[in-house]
């Protein structure tokens, strides 16, 4: 009667259909279903109670069923088999929940990671690139507006400092260049004035000779009546000296405004005779 009541209690409360109750001498008292004999993996042993696992694996769960054997003092031994399908299903549900939780957690981490990387690294680097292109395009006053407390922020601060020094150096070079241009213009004006002075001295020297000869002819004519032939000769000489002065002036004008001139033959004998005639009227010659 006790075994029957125990059997009914197990079947009702624990939903166990396979069990066996043996007396202290090993004689079966009550049995239901089929009990596995031997085998299985011992997972618990406290001396009076032992548990064995059957089936299971990495992909199939903790096991198919579990056999428990316990000594009941004064009543013998009770053994029963507990199916683990529900446990495996619960563990699978827990696994699916954990996987879903890990997936959602990973997605959140990735989203925040992308946002953090974009905000603290990608966006500052883009601003730094735009500032570099702007400065390279001539906007020396441009600076990278980056306020992040990391290596990129330190890089931006160094970049702005370098850009400031570059702007100061370029402005200094521009001032020096302006001063050099001013000095060059002053030197050019000084050189021009010196060249004009030398040109004036050259003109005075070149005109001085025919002008002196012309004055000598005029002095001869002013002293008194001359032989008509001699007077005519002096007047012709004076005319040639006047033409010579005109030629000298034209030559200097051509230096200022050079024009193409064809080469012509020169009568050296006539040139020497003219020179001697011009010098003969000078008292110092």
């Amino acid at each position: 009667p006790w075994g029957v009541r125990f059997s009914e209690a197990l079947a009702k409360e624990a939903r166990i259909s396979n069990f066996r109750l043996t007396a202290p001498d090993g004689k079966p008292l009550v049995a239901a279903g089929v009990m596995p004999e031997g085998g299985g993996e011992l997972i618990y042993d406290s001396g009076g109670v032992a548990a064995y696992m059957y089936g299971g694996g990495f992909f199939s769960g903790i096991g198919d069923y579990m056999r428990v054997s316990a000594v009941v003092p004064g009543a013998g031994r009770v053994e029963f088999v507990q199916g683990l399908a529900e446990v495996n299903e619960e563990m699978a549900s827990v696994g699916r929940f954990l996987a879903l939780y890990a997936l959602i957690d990973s997605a959140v981490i990735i989203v925040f990671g992308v946002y953090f990387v974009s905000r603290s690294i990608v966006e500052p680097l883009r601003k730094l690139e735009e500032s570099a292109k702007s400065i390279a395009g001539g906007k020396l006053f441009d600076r990278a507006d980056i306020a992040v407390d990391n290596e990129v922020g330190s890089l931006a601060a160094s970049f702005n400092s370098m850009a400031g020094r570059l702007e100061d150096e370029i402005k200094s070079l521009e001032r020096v260049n302006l001063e050099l241009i001013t000095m060059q213009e002053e030197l050019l004006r000084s050189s021009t004035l010196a060249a004009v002075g030398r040109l004036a001295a050259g003109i005075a020297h070149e005109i001085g000779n025919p002008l002196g000869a012309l004055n000598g002819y005029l002095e001869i004519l002013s002293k008194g009546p001359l032989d008509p032939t001699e007077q005519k000769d002096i007047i012709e000489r004076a005319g040639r000296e006047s033409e010579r002065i005109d030629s000298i002036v034209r030559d200097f004008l051509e230096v200022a405004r050079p024009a193409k001139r064809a080469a012509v033959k020169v009568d050296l004998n006539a040139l020497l005779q003219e020179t001697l005639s011009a010098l003969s009227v000078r008292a110092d010659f």
Side-chain angles (χ1 to χ4, degrees), residues 13-36:
E13 298 296 333
R15 291 179 295 180
I16 297 174
S17 58
N18 300 340
F19 67 92
R20 180 172 58 195
L21 178 64
T22 58
D25 58 0
K27 182 180 179 180
L29 297 177
V30 179
V34 179
M35 295 294 298

Side-chain angles (χ1 to χ4, degrees), residues 30-283:
V30 179
V34 179
M35 295 294 298
E37 299 294 339
E41 179 184 358
L42 179 63
I43 60 174
Y44 178 80
D45 186 5
S46 65
V49 179
Y52 299 88
M53 186 72 69
Y54 295 85
F58 184 79
F59 295 101
S60 58
I62 60 174
D64 298 330
Y65 57 92
M66 179 176 62
R67 181 172 64 88
V68 178
S69 175
V71 176
V72 180
R77 178 182 294 274
V78 62
E79 296 176 278
F80 63 90
V81 175
Q82 175 67 54
L84 300 177
E86 294 182 359
V87 176
N88 286 329
E89 181 61 28
E90 291 180 0
M91 292 188 65
S93 299
V94 173
R96 288 191 295 270
F97 172 77
L98 291 177
L100 179 61
Y101 177 80
L103 181 61
I104 296 175
D105 193 35
S106 300
V108 172
I109 292 174
I110 290 174
V111 170
F112 277 98
V114 170
Y115 173 76
F116 174 77
V117 171
S118 176
R119 182 182 177 86
S120 61
I121 297 178
V122 177
E123 185 66 19
L125 287 178
R126 186 185 62 80
K127 291 183 179 180
L128 191 62
E129 180 185 7
E130 291 178 353
S131 298
K133 290 181 178 179
S134 178
I135 293 174
K139 297 181 180 179
L140 301 177
F141 56 86
D142 197 4
R143 297 293 182 271
D145 185 14
I146 299 175
V148 291
D149 189 14
N150 55 18
E151 289 77 4
V152 178
S154 300
L155 177 61
S158 300
F159 175 83
N160 290 335
S161 178
M162 179 191 68
R165 291 196 300 270
L166 179 62
E167 182 181 6
D168 294 339
E169 292 294 332
I170 291 179
K171 288 182 178 180
S172 177
L173 290 176
E174 289 177 349
R175 289 193 298 269
V176 172
N177 187 40
L178 181 60
E179 293 175 359
L180 290 175
I181 292 175
T182 304
M183 293 177 62
Q184 184 179 10
E185 292 176 351
E186 292 179 355
L187 289 174
L188 181 60
R189 285 194 294 268
S190 300
S191 300
T192 302
L193 292 175
V196 170
R198 290 193 296 270
L199 180 62
I203 293 175
H205 177 73
E206 291 295 330
I207 294 178
N209 292 330
L211 187 61
L214 185 61
N215 289 333
Y217 294 140
L218 293 176
E219 185 179 355
I220 292 174
L221 292 174
S222 65
K223 286 184 179 180
L226 299 175
D227 182 78
T229 303
E230 184 179 3
Q231 184 176 358
K232 180 181 179 181
D233 181 61
I234 290 176
I235 292 174
E236 290 178 352
R237 290 185 180 184
R240 287 195 296 269
E241 294 301 330
S242 177
E243 292 177 354
R244 184 180 175 189
I245 292 174
D246 181 69
S247 176
I248 292 173
V249 173
R250 290 180 181 275
D251 288 340
F252 276 105
L253 288 176
E254 288 183 0
V255 171
R257 292 179 301 176
K260 295 183 179 180
R261 298 182 59 182
V264 296
K265 293 182 178 180
V266 177
D267 187 353
L268 294 180
N269 291 327
L271 181 59
L272 291 174
Q273 186 63 40
E274 182 182 355
T275 303
L276 291 175
S277 299
L279 294 177
S280 65
V281 298
R282 296 290 299 270

